[in-house]
Amino acid sequence: MSEIYLSDRQLGARYSVHFLTPRRWANEDPTFPKPVKLSPGCVRWRLSDILAWEATKADAKPKA
């Protein structure tokens, strides 16, 4: 199975934030997945890493 990669614009749309925000999160939040450099000028995030990060955030939410 091939890996799916997301751009900063796709992540921005996914979380309803500015497209540069995922880059800031990658720099400031040690839990946020680091991007992968596919070629010069082409940086993407693995969807599998993003889904795993989302799962950890969902697990950390307090249960009512």
Side-chain angles (χ1 to χ4, degrees), residues 1-63:
M1 186 164 110
S2 62
E3 185 70 59
I4 297 173
Y5 294 92
L6 301 175
S7 69
D8 51 5
R9 291 186 185 271
Q10 290 171 311
L11 285 177
R14 183 180 186 95
Y15 300 119
S16 300
V17 297
H18 190 273
F19 75 93
L20 292 177
T21 300
R23 291 178 184 262
R24 182 174 50 82
W25 289 343
N27 289 330
E28 295 177 0
D29 182 353
T31 66
F32 192 74
K34 299 299 179 212
V36 177
K37 187 173 186 177
L38 299 178
S39 66
C42 182
V43 176
R44 301 288 187 264
W45 283 261
R46 288 183 189 95
L47 179 58
S48 59
D49 292 346
I50 294 297
L51 293 174
W53 177 77
E54 288 174 354
T56 62
K57 292 296 183 185
D59 291 343
K61 285 186 180 177
K63 309 253 192 253

